[in-house]
Amino acid sequence: MDSRGTIPRPDPPAGKPVPPRDMDPLGLVLGGGGARAAYQVGVLRAIARVRPNLEVPILTGVSAGAINAIHLARHAGTFAEAVEDLAHLWLGLRMDRVFRTDLPSLALTSLRWGLRLLSGGMGPSSRSSAGPSAAEAPRSLVDVSPLRRFLCEALQVRSGSEPIPGINHRIQEGHLRAVSLSTSSYTTGRSVTWVQGASDVELWERPLRRSRMTSLTLDHVMASAALPLFFPAVPIGTEWFGDGGIRLVAPLSPAVRLGAGRVLALSTRFDRMPGEDPIPRELDPYPPPAQVAGQLMNAVFLDLLDQDTLRMERMNRVLEALPPDSQEAAGDLRPVRLQAIRPSVDLGRRAADFEVDLPRGVRFLFRGLGTRETRSPDVLSFLLFDPGYIGALMELGERDGNARMGELLELLDPGGARPPRGPGSGTPRRPHRYSGGRRGNGR
Protein backbone atom coordinates (compact mmCIF):
# COMPACT_ATOMS: atom_id res chain seq x y z
CA MET A 1 0.00 0.00 0.00
CA ASP A 2 1.41 3.38 -0.98
CA SER A 3 1.05 6.80 0.67
CA ARG A 4 -2.31 7.36 -1.03
CA GLY A 5 -3.74 4.17 0.49
CA THR A 6 -4.13 2.51 -2.90
CA ILE A 7 -2.87 -0.94 -3.76
CA PRO A 8 -1.17 -1.61 -7.11
CA ARG A 9 -2.48 -4.39 -9.28
CA PRO A 10 -0.43 -7.53 -8.61
CA ASP A 11 1.91 -8.64 -11.36
CA PRO A 12 0.90 -11.83 -13.20
CA PRO A 13 2.65 -15.05 -12.14
CA ALA A 14 6.00 -15.66 -13.79
CA GLY A 15 5.78 -17.37 -17.14
CA LYS A 16 2.18 -16.29 -17.83
CA PRO A 17 1.48 -13.62 -20.45
CA VAL A 18 -0.03 -10.31 -19.46
CA PRO A 19 -3.66 -10.28 -20.63
CA PRO A 20 -4.77 -7.52 -23.01
CA ARG A 21 -6.38 -4.50 -21.40
CA ASP A 22 -9.91 -5.50 -22.42
CA MET A 23 -9.38 -8.95 -20.96
CA ASP A 24 -8.36 -7.96 -17.45
CA PRO A 25 -9.15 -10.60 -14.81
CA LEU A 26 -12.86 -11.11 -14.24
CA GLY A 27 -14.24 -10.82 -10.72
CA LEU A 28 -17.64 -12.18 -9.69
CA VAL A 29 -19.27 -10.44 -6.71
CA LEU A 30 -22.04 -12.45 -5.05
CA GLY A 31 -24.03 -10.45 -2.52
CA GLY A 32 -26.26 -11.59 0.32
CA GLY A 33 -29.95 -12.04 0.86
CA GLY A 34 -30.49 -15.46 2.43
CA ALA A 35 -32.75 -17.59 0.25
CA ARG A 36 -32.73 -14.79 -2.35
CA ALA A 37 -29.24 -15.93 -3.38
CA ALA A 38 -30.93 -18.61 -5.50
CA TYR A 39 -31.61 -15.77 -7.95
CA GLN A 40 -27.84 -15.52 -8.54
CA VAL A 41 -27.75 -19.17 -9.60
CA GLY A 42 -30.35 -18.46 -12.26
CA VAL A 43 -28.30 -15.61 -13.73
CA LEU A 44 -25.18 -17.83 -13.72
CA ARG A 45 -27.17 -20.54 -15.49
CA ALA A 46 -28.05 -18.12 -18.28
CA ILE A 47 -24.38 -17.19 -18.65
CA ALA A 48 -23.24 -20.81 -18.56
CA ARG A 49 -25.50 -21.71 -21.48
CA VAL A 50 -23.63 -19.33 -23.80
CA ARG A 51 -20.19 -19.42 -22.12
CA PRO A 52 -19.89 -22.96 -20.66
CA ASN A 53 -16.10 -22.70 -20.33
CA LEU A 54 -16.00 -19.21 -18.82
CA GLU A 55 -13.00 -18.59 -16.55
CA VAL A 56 -13.71 -16.57 -13.39
CA PRO A 57 -10.35 -16.18 -11.62
CA ILE A 58 -11.63 -13.94 -8.79
CA LEU A 59 -14.65 -14.87 -6.67
CA THR A 60 -16.01 -12.92 -3.72
CA GLY A 61 -19.01 -13.80 -1.59
CA VAL A 62 -20.83 -12.38 1.39
CA SER A 63 -23.71 -13.79 3.43
CA ALA A 64 -25.60 -16.41 1.38
CA GLY A 65 -23.48 -15.41 -1.62
CA ALA A 66 -20.56 -16.99 0.24
CA ILE A 67 -22.12 -20.43 -0.33
CA ASN A 68 -22.31 -19.79 -4.07
CA ALA A 69 -18.77 -18.39 -4.22
CA ILE A 70 -17.17 -21.26 -2.32
CA HIS A 71 -18.94 -23.86 -4.47
CA LEU A 72 -17.68 -22.26 -7.70
CA ALA A 73 -14.19 -21.91 -6.24
CA ARG A 74 -13.82 -25.57 -5.31
CA HIS A 75 -15.52 -27.21 -8.29
CA ALA A 76 -13.13 -29.09 -10.58
CA GLY A 77 -15.36 -29.07 -13.69
CA THR A 78 -16.21 -26.44 -16.27
CA PHE A 79 -18.13 -23.30 -15.41
CA ALA A 80 -21.32 -24.84 -16.79
CA GLU A 81 -20.84 -28.01 -14.74
CA ALA A 82 -20.13 -26.02 -11.58
CA VAL A 83 -23.23 -23.88 -12.04
CA GLU A 84 -25.45 -26.88 -12.75
CA ASP A 85 -24.20 -28.65 -9.63
CA LEU A 86 -24.85 -25.45 -7.66
CA ALA A 87 -28.40 -25.35 -9.02
CA HIS A 88 -28.98 -28.94 -7.87
CA LEU A 89 -27.59 -28.01 -4.46
CA TRP A 90 -30.10 -25.17 -4.09
CA LEU A 91 -33.00 -27.22 -5.41
CA GLY A 92 -32.19 -29.83 -2.76
CA LEU A 93 -32.64 -27.28 0.03
CA ARG A 94 -35.67 -27.34 2.24
CA MET A 95 -36.30 -25.25 5.30
CA ASP A 96 -35.66 -28.24 7.59
CA ARG A 97 -32.22 -28.61 5.96
CA VAL A 98 -31.36 -25.05 6.97
CA PHE A 99 -32.75 -24.87 10.49
CA ARG A 100 -34.88 -27.01 12.77
CA THR A 101 -38.57 -26.47 12.12
CA ASP A 102 -40.07 -28.97 14.56
CA LEU A 103 -42.37 -27.52 17.17
CA PRO A 104 -40.38 -28.72 20.23
CA SER A 105 -37.22 -26.97 18.97
CA LEU A 106 -39.05 -23.74 18.15
CA ALA A 107 -40.88 -23.84 21.49
CA LEU A 108 -37.65 -24.39 23.44
CA THR A 109 -35.95 -21.50 21.67
CA SER A 110 -38.93 -19.23 22.37
CA LEU A 111 -38.83 -20.26 26.03
CA ARG A 112 -35.10 -19.50 26.28
CA TRP A 113 -35.58 -16.03 24.80
CA GLY A 114 -38.51 -15.35 27.08
CA LEU A 115 -36.52 -16.37 30.16
CA ARG A 116 -33.58 -14.22 29.05
CA LEU A 117 -35.76 -11.15 28.60
CA LEU A 118 -37.65 -11.66 31.87
CA SER A 119 -34.62 -12.58 34.00
CA GLY A 120 -32.88 -9.24 33.54
CA GLY A 121 -29.63 -11.00 32.67
CA MET A 122 -29.61 -13.05 35.85
CA GLY A 123 -30.27 -16.35 34.08
CA PRO A 124 -27.87 -18.72 32.28
CA SER A 125 -25.09 -17.16 30.19
CA SER A 126 -24.47 -17.71 26.47
CA ARG A 127 -20.79 -16.74 26.63
CA SER A 128 -19.46 -20.27 26.66
CA SER A 129 -17.37 -21.10 23.58
CA ALA A 130 -18.96 -24.52 23.34
CA GLY A 131 -22.36 -25.22 21.87
CA PRO A 132 -25.35 -24.09 23.95
CA SER A 133 -26.99 -26.55 26.28
CA ALA A 134 -30.66 -26.61 27.19
CA ALA A 135 -29.93 -24.54 30.29
CA GLU A 136 -27.94 -21.83 28.52
CA ALA A 137 -29.26 -18.57 27.16
CA PRO A 138 -30.19 -18.64 23.46
CA ARG A 139 -27.72 -17.62 20.78
CA SER A 140 -30.11 -17.34 17.85
CA LEU A 141 -33.76 -17.52 16.91
CA VAL A 142 -33.30 -20.86 15.12
CA ASP A 143 -31.05 -23.91 15.35
CA VAL A 144 -28.95 -24.11 12.16
CA SER A 145 -27.26 -27.44 12.86
CA PRO A 146 -29.11 -28.94 9.82
CA LEU A 147 -27.44 -26.39 7.51
CA ARG A 148 -24.02 -27.23 8.90
CA ARG A 149 -24.61 -30.94 8.24
CA PHE A 150 -25.96 -30.19 4.75
CA LEU A 151 -22.91 -28.09 3.82
CA CYS A 152 -20.49 -30.58 5.34
CA GLU A 153 -21.79 -33.13 2.87
CA ALA A 154 -21.97 -30.70 -0.05
CA LEU A 155 -18.42 -29.37 0.49
CA GLN A 156 -17.02 -32.79 1.40
CA VAL A 157 -15.60 -31.85 4.78
CA ARG A 158 -15.90 -33.63 8.11
CA SER A 159 -15.69 -30.64 10.43
CA GLY A 160 -16.03 -26.87 10.40
CA SER A 161 -12.29 -26.29 10.73
CA GLU A 162 -11.19 -28.62 7.91
CA PRO A 163 -9.93 -26.76 4.78
CA ILE A 164 -12.39 -27.04 1.90
CA PRO A 165 -10.90 -29.35 -0.73
CA GLY A 166 -10.38 -28.35 -4.34
CA ILE A 167 -9.58 -24.66 -3.90
CA ASN A 168 -5.80 -25.00 -3.64
CA HIS A 169 -5.70 -27.31 -6.64
CA ARG A 170 -7.57 -24.80 -8.81
CA ILE A 171 -5.24 -22.02 -7.65
CA GLN A 172 -2.16 -24.11 -8.49
CA GLU A 173 -3.60 -24.99 -11.91
CA GLY A 174 -4.10 -21.29 -12.68
CA HIS A 175 -7.91 -21.47 -13.01
CA LEU A 176 -8.46 -19.47 -9.83
CA ARG A 177 -6.52 -16.48 -8.59
CA ALA A 178 -8.36 -15.87 -5.33
CA VAL A 179 -11.62 -16.43 -3.51
CA SER A 180 -12.74 -14.32 -0.57
CA LEU A 181 -15.54 -14.49 1.99
CA SER A 182 -16.46 -11.47 4.08
CA THR A 183 -17.56 -11.65 7.72
CA SER A 184 -18.30 -9.19 10.52
CA SER A 185 -16.49 -9.49 13.84
CA TYR A 186 -18.86 -9.07 16.76
CA THR A 187 -15.75 -8.92 18.97
CA THR A 188 -13.99 -5.95 17.32
CA GLY A 189 -16.75 -4.44 15.17
CA ARG A 190 -14.61 -4.73 12.02
CA SER A 191 -15.33 -6.24 8.63
CA VAL A 192 -12.90 -9.09 7.97
CA THR A 193 -12.48 -10.55 4.49
CA TRP A 194 -10.90 -14.01 4.47
CA VAL A 195 -8.82 -14.68 1.36
CA GLN A 196 -7.44 -17.87 -0.14
CA GLY A 197 -5.38 -17.17 -3.22
CA ALA A 198 -2.14 -17.20 -5.14
CA SER A 199 1.10 -16.38 -3.38
CA ASP A 200 1.35 -12.90 -4.92
CA VAL A 201 -2.11 -11.78 -3.80
CA GLU A 202 -1.77 -8.66 -1.65
CA LEU A 203 -3.89 -8.07 1.43
CA TRP A 204 -5.33 -4.74 2.54
CA GLU A 205 -6.38 -2.89 5.65
CA ARG A 206 -8.66 0.13 5.87
CA PRO A 207 -10.55 1.73 8.75
CA LEU A 208 -12.92 -0.88 10.20
CA ARG A 209 -12.15 -3.42 7.45
CA ARG A 210 -9.24 -5.71 6.84
CA SER A 211 -8.29 -8.90 5.03
CA ARG A 212 -6.62 -12.09 6.22
CA MET A 213 -5.01 -14.89 4.23
CA THR A 214 -6.25 -18.34 5.23
CA SER A 215 -7.37 -21.75 4.06
CA LEU A 216 -11.13 -21.34 3.85
CA THR A 217 -13.29 -23.69 5.91
CA LEU A 218 -16.95 -24.40 6.54
CA ASP A 219 -16.72 -22.14 9.61
CA HIS A 220 -15.89 -19.19 7.35
CA VAL A 221 -18.90 -19.98 5.16
CA MET A 222 -21.24 -20.36 8.15
CA ALA A 223 -19.95 -17.14 9.70
CA SER A 224 -20.41 -15.12 6.51
CA ALA A 225 -23.98 -16.43 6.13
CA ALA A 226 -24.99 -16.02 9.79
CA LEU A 227 -27.93 -13.58 9.62
CA PRO A 228 -27.77 -11.63 12.89
CA LEU A 229 -30.08 -12.88 15.64
CA PHE A 230 -31.67 -15.46 13.31
CA PHE A 231 -28.45 -17.53 12.96
CA PRO A 232 -25.76 -17.90 15.65
CA ALA A 233 -22.33 -16.29 15.44
CA VAL A 234 -19.36 -18.59 14.69
CA PRO A 235 -16.07 -18.57 16.65
CA ILE A 236 -12.93 -18.31 14.49
CA GLY A 237 -9.71 -17.96 16.44
CA THR A 238 -10.40 -15.64 19.36
CA GLU A 239 -13.28 -13.73 17.77
CA TRP A 240 -16.98 -14.27 17.12
CA PHE A 241 -18.09 -13.65 13.54
CA GLY A 242 -21.46 -13.10 11.90
CA ASP A 243 -22.96 -12.08 8.59
CA GLY A 244 -20.46 -10.26 6.40
CA GLY A 245 -23.05 -7.81 5.12
CA ILE A 246 -23.30 -6.00 8.47
CA ARG A 247 -20.00 -4.13 8.18
CA LEU A 248 -19.07 -4.47 4.50
CA VAL A 249 -19.57 -0.87 3.38
CA ALA A 250 -17.81 -1.42 0.03
CA PRO A 251 -18.98 -4.81 -1.36
CA LEU A 252 -17.09 -4.36 -4.65
CA SER A 253 -13.79 -3.58 -2.94
CA PRO A 254 -12.55 -7.17 -2.28
CA ALA A 255 -12.81 -8.14 -5.96
CA VAL A 256 -11.00 -5.00 -7.11
CA ARG A 257 -8.27 -5.33 -4.50
CA LEU A 258 -7.71 -8.93 -5.54
CA GLY A 259 -6.91 -7.70 -9.04
CA ALA A 260 -10.18 -7.73 -10.98
CA GLY A 261 -10.25 -5.44 -14.00
CA ARG A 262 -13.80 -6.47 -14.89
CA VAL A 263 -16.49 -6.99 -12.26
CA LEU A 264 -19.86 -8.72 -12.52
CA ALA A 265 -21.97 -8.01 -9.43
CA LEU A 266 -25.14 -10.04 -8.79
CA SER A 267 -27.53 -8.31 -6.41
CA THR A 268 -30.78 -9.69 -4.98
CA ARG A 269 -32.36 -6.30 -4.39
CA PHE A 270 -35.31 -5.22 -6.54
CA ASP A 271 -34.84 -1.70 -7.84
CA ARG A 272 -38.22 0.00 -7.80
CA MET A 273 -38.73 2.67 -10.42
CA PRO A 274 -40.44 6.02 -9.69
CA GLY A 275 -44.20 5.58 -9.56
CA GLU A 276 -44.14 1.85 -8.79
CA ASP A 277 -44.79 2.46 -5.10
CA PRO A 278 -46.79 5.71 -4.88
CA ILE A 279 -47.53 7.31 -1.53
CA PRO A 280 -50.96 6.03 -0.38
CA ARG A 281 -53.85 8.46 -0.27
CA GLU A 282 -54.70 7.39 3.29
CA LEU A 283 -52.52 6.40 6.22
CA ASP A 284 -51.83 2.66 6.26
CA PRO A 285 -52.23 0.65 9.48
CA TYR A 286 -49.22 0.64 11.80
CA PRO A 287 -46.35 -1.36 10.19
CA PRO A 288 -46.03 -4.85 11.70
CA PRO A 289 -42.65 -6.15 12.96
CA ALA A 290 -42.12 -8.11 9.74
CA GLN A 291 -42.31 -4.93 7.68
CA VAL A 292 -39.89 -3.04 9.93
CA ALA A 293 -37.47 -6.00 10.04
CA GLY A 294 -37.63 -6.35 6.25
CA GLN A 295 -36.68 -2.71 5.71
CA LEU A 296 -33.84 -3.06 8.20
CA MET A 297 -32.47 -6.19 6.51
CA ASN A 298 -32.69 -4.55 3.08
CA ALA A 299 -30.75 -1.54 4.33
CA VAL A 300 -28.04 -3.64 5.96
CA PHE A 301 -27.60 -6.45 3.46
CA LEU A 302 -28.79 -5.25 0.04
CA ASP A 303 -28.62 -1.47 -0.37
CA LEU A 304 -24.84 -1.14 0.06
CA LEU A 305 -24.06 -2.94 -3.19
CA ASP A 306 -26.08 -0.37 -5.14
CA GLN A 307 -24.41 2.48 -3.29
CA ASP A 308 -20.97 1.05 -4.00
CA THR A 309 -21.90 0.64 -7.67
CA LEU A 310 -22.81 4.32 -7.84
CA ARG A 311 -19.52 5.30 -6.20
CA MET A 312 -17.53 3.18 -8.64
CA GLU A 313 -19.35 4.61 -11.66
CA ARG A 314 -18.87 8.15 -10.36
CA MET A 315 -15.15 7.63 -9.93
CA ASN A 316 -15.19 6.01 -13.33
CA ARG A 317 -16.43 9.20 -14.93
CA VAL A 318 -13.77 11.19 -13.08
CA LEU A 319 -10.99 8.98 -14.45
CA GLU A 320 -12.41 9.14 -17.97
CA ALA A 321 -12.51 12.93 -17.81
CA LEU A 322 -8.83 13.24 -16.90
CA PRO A 323 -6.70 14.65 -19.72
CA PRO A 324 -3.90 12.32 -20.89
CA ASP A 325 -1.17 14.36 -19.20
CA SER A 326 -3.00 14.03 -15.85
CA GLN A 327 -3.68 10.31 -15.93
CA GLU A 328 -0.25 9.54 -14.55
CA ALA A 329 -1.17 11.51 -11.44
CA ALA A 330 -3.88 8.93 -10.73
CA GLY A 331 -1.08 6.56 -9.80
CA ASP A 332 -2.31 3.06 -9.04
CA LEU A 333 -5.97 3.97 -9.36
CA ARG A 334 -7.21 2.00 -12.34
CA PRO A 335 -10.39 1.74 -14.39
CA VAL A 336 -12.59 -1.31 -13.81
CA ARG A 337 -15.39 -2.35 -16.11
CA LEU A 338 -18.54 -3.02 -14.14
CA GLN A 339 -21.87 -4.73 -14.77
CA ALA A 340 -24.55 -5.12 -12.09
CA ILE A 341 -27.54 -7.44 -12.44
CA ARG A 342 -30.55 -7.28 -10.14
CA PRO A 343 -34.06 -8.80 -10.13
CA SER A 344 -36.73 -7.39 -12.41
CA VAL A 345 -39.41 -8.52 -9.94
CA ASP A 346 -39.85 -7.77 -6.22
CA LEU A 347 -38.59 -10.94 -4.51
CA GLY A 348 -40.35 -10.00 -1.28
CA ARG A 349 -43.76 -9.89 -2.94
CA ARG A 350 -42.94 -13.11 -4.76
CA ALA A 351 -42.25 -14.78 -1.40
CA ALA A 352 -45.82 -14.10 -0.24
CA ASP A 353 -47.08 -16.59 -2.84
CA PHE A 354 -45.20 -19.42 -1.10
CA GLU A 355 -45.91 -18.56 2.55
CA VAL A 356 -48.69 -21.14 2.72
CA ASP A 357 -46.18 -23.94 2.01
CA LEU A 358 -44.12 -23.26 5.14
CA PRO A 359 -43.99 -25.84 7.96
CA ARG A 360 -46.83 -25.20 10.39
CA GLY A 361 -44.69 -23.99 13.30
CA VAL A 362 -42.60 -21.66 11.13
CA ARG A 363 -45.69 -20.32 9.38
CA PHE A 364 -47.28 -19.61 12.76
CA LEU A 365 -44.23 -17.61 13.91
CA PHE A 366 -43.93 -15.62 10.68
CA ARG A 367 -47.61 -14.75 10.74
CA GLY A 368 -47.15 -13.64 14.33
CA LEU A 369 -44.56 -11.15 13.01
CA GLY A 370 -47.12 -9.85 10.53
CA THR A 371 -45.93 -11.23 7.19
CA ARG A 372 -49.54 -11.31 5.97
CA GLU A 373 -50.04 -7.65 6.91
CA THR A 374 -47.47 -6.21 4.50
CA ARG A 375 -47.45 -6.06 0.71
CA SER A 376 -43.81 -7.11 0.47
CA PRO A 377 -42.74 -9.47 3.30
CA ASP A 378 -39.00 -9.03 2.73
CA VAL A 379 -38.01 -10.71 5.98
CA LEU A 380 -39.83 -13.83 4.78
CA SER A 381 -37.92 -13.79 1.48
CA PHE A 382 -34.60 -14.00 3.35
CA LEU A 383 -35.62 -17.20 5.15
CA LEU A 384 -37.96 -18.90 2.68
CA PHE A 385 -35.82 -21.93 1.83
CA ASP A 386 -38.69 -23.59 0.00
CA PRO A 387 -38.10 -25.60 -3.22
CA GLY A 388 -40.95 -23.80 -4.99
CA TYR A 389 -39.65 -20.34 -4.09
CA ILE A 390 -36.05 -21.27 -4.85
CA GLY A 391 -37.06 -22.67 -8.24
CA ALA A 392 -39.05 -19.52 -9.03
CA LEU A 393 -36.05 -17.31 -8.18
CA MET A 394 -33.74 -19.38 -10.36
CA GLU A 395 -36.17 -19.14 -13.27
CA LEU A 396 -36.39 -15.38 -12.79
CA GLY A 397 -32.60 -15.08 -12.64
CA GLU A 398 -32.26 -17.03 -15.86
CA ARG A 399 -34.83 -14.82 -17.61
CA ASP A 400 -33.13 -11.65 -16.41
CA GLY A 401 -29.73 -13.01 -17.46
CA ASN A 402 -31.04 -13.80 -20.94
CA ALA A 403 -32.62 -10.35 -21.21
CA ARG A 404 -29.28 -8.71 -20.32
CA MET A 405 -27.08 -11.13 -22.27
CA GLY A 406 -25.85 -8.51 -24.71
CA GLU A 407 -24.56 -6.34 -21.86
CA LEU A 408 -23.14 -9.35 -20.06
CA LEU A 409 -21.16 -10.46 -23.09
CA GLU A 410 -19.75 -6.96 -23.52
CA LEU A 411 -18.18 -7.52 -20.10
CA LEU A 412 -17.38 -11.23 -20.30
CA ASP A 413 -16.15 -11.37 -23.88
CA PRO A 414 -15.16 -7.87 -25.06
CA GLY A 415 -14.83 -7.76 -28.82
CA GLY A 416 -15.77 -11.44 -29.15
CA ALA A 417 -18.35 -13.05 -31.37
CA ARG A 418 -21.92 -12.91 -30.14
CA PRO A 419 -24.13 -16.00 -30.01
CA PRO A 420 -27.31 -15.95 -32.05
CA ARG A 421 -30.24 -14.26 -30.38
CA GLY A 422 -32.63 -16.82 -28.96
CA PRO A 423 -35.83 -16.87 -26.97
CA GLY A 424 -35.70 -14.57 -24.00
CA SER A 425 -32.68 -12.64 -25.25
CA GLY A 426 -34.08 -9.25 -25.91
CA THR A 427 -34.65 -5.92 -24.32
CA PRO A 428 -35.59 -6.23 -20.65
CA ARG A 429 -39.16 -5.35 -19.81
CA ARG A 430 -38.09 -2.67 -17.37
CA PRO A 431 -35.11 -0.30 -17.36
CA HIS A 432 -32.27 -1.14 -15.00
CA ARG A 433 -30.53 1.71 -13.29
CA TYR A 434 -26.82 1.49 -12.45
CA SER A 435 -26.48 -1.04 -15.25
CA GLY A 436 -22.74 -0.62 -15.54
CA GLY A 437 -20.96 -0.82 -18.85
CA ARG A 438 -18.79 2.12 -17.91
CA ARG A 439 -15.50 1.82 -16.16
CA GLY A 440 -14.98 2.29 -12.51
CA ASN A 441 -12.24 2.71 -9.97
CA GLY A 442 -11.60 0.33 -7.11
CA ARG A 443 -10.88 1.52 -3.63
Side-chain angles (χ1 to χ4, degrees), residues 96-415:
D96 59 2
R97 289 187 173 181
V98 178
F99 53 85
R100 291 184 60 181
T101 61
D102 57 287
L103 285 174
S105 174
L106 295 174
L108 179 59
T109 300
S110 300
L111 177 61
R112 285 175 175 168
W113 279 106
L115 290 174
R116 182 177 180 89
L117 291 173
L118 295 174
S119 69
M122 300 299 291
S125 170
S126 61
R127 297 183 63 84
S128 167
S129 60
S133 68
E136 288 179 345
R139 295 184 175 183
S140 59
L141 292 175
V142 293
D143 178 353
V144 296
S145 55
L147 178 61
R148 180 173 285 271
R149 290 193 296 269
F150 180 81
L151 290 179
C152 268
E153 181 179 350
L155 300 177
Q156 299 178 350
V157 295
R158 291 167 294 182
S159 69
S161 59
E162 178 183 340
I164 296 172
I167 299 177
N168 266 338
H169 178 72
R170 296 197 68 233
I171 292 172
Q172 293 166 3
E173 291 291 312
H175 298 295
L176 180 68
R177 173 165 177 76
V179 55
S180 74
L181 306 181
S182 294
T183 60
S184 300
S185 172
Y186 290 137
T187 305
T188 65
R190 304 182 75 177
S191 172
V192 179
T193 298
W194 304 89
V195 179
Q196 185 170 351
S199 59
D200 61 339
V201 166
E202 296 189 30
L203 302 180
W204 63 92
E205 184 162 358
R206 299 294 294 272
L208 293 180
R209 51 190 171 107
R210 61 177 298 186
S211 59
R212 297 183 188 175
M213 189 69 72
T214 190
S215 293
L216 292 172
T217 68
L218 176 59
D219 281 345
H220 294 105
V221 179
M222 292 292 294
S224 183
L227 287 170
L229 295 182
F230 286 98
F231 293 2
V234 178
I236 301 176
T238 59
E239 299 177 58
W240 290 94
F241 291 92
D243 196 296
I246 301 173
R247 279 293 196 178
L248 189 60
V249 296
L252 301 176
S253 179
V256 175
R257 289 186 171 275
L258 291 172
R262 297 171 293 150
V263 172
L264 172 59
L266 301 185
S267 172
T268 60
R269 175 185 176 274
F270 173 68
D271 188 26
R272 286 192 178 88
M273 303 300 291
E276 288 187 336
D277 242 354
I279 298 176
R281 295 180 180 274
E282 298 180 0
L283 182 66
D284 283 342
Y286 192 83
Q291 187 171 340
V292 176
Q295 294 295 333
L296 178 62
M297 294 175 79
N298 283 340
V300 173
F301 300 112
L302 304 183
D303 293 356
L304 290 177
L305 181 56
D306 285 337
Q307 295 171 18
D308 204 24
T309 298
L310 281 173
R311 283 194 295 266
M312 181 174 280
E313 291 184 342
R314 190 174 295 121
M315 181 60 73
N316 192 17
R317 291 191 291 272
V318 171
L319 290 175
E320 288 178 341
L322 287 176
D325 58 350
S326 300
Q327 290 181 1
E328 186 175 346
D332 295 319
L333 299 178
R334 67 188 194 276
V336 177
R337 298 186 64 171
L338 172 66
Q339 187 66 251
I341 302 292
R342 56 183 50 76
S344 58
V345 172
D346 187 338
L347 303 188
R349 293 188 179 183
R350 193 76 178 90
D353 298 335
F354 297 89
E355 186 259 4
V356 69
D357 298 326
L358 289 172
R360 181 184 303 176
V362 177
R363 185 170 67 247
F364 178 81
L365 291 177
F366 274 122
R367 289 181 178 180
L369 291 174
T371 53
R372 305 187 76 183
E373 302 169 36
T374 175
R375 289 185 293 269
S376 181
D378 289 320
V379 67
L380 177 63
S381 70
F382 278 78
L383 296 166
L384 189 57
F385 293 93
D386 172 79
Y389 182 61
I390 288 172
L393 296 193
M394 289 172 56
E395 290 176 7
L396 174 63
E398 196 162 353
R399 287 201 307 271
D400 287 351
N402 286 330
R404 306 284 299 280
M405 190 56 67
E407 300 165 80
L408 286 169
L409 291 179
E410 286 291 338
L411 176 79
L412 304 176
D413 189 19

Side-chain angles (χ1 to χ4, degrees), residues 34 78 91 313:
T78 65
L91 290 172
E313 291 184 342

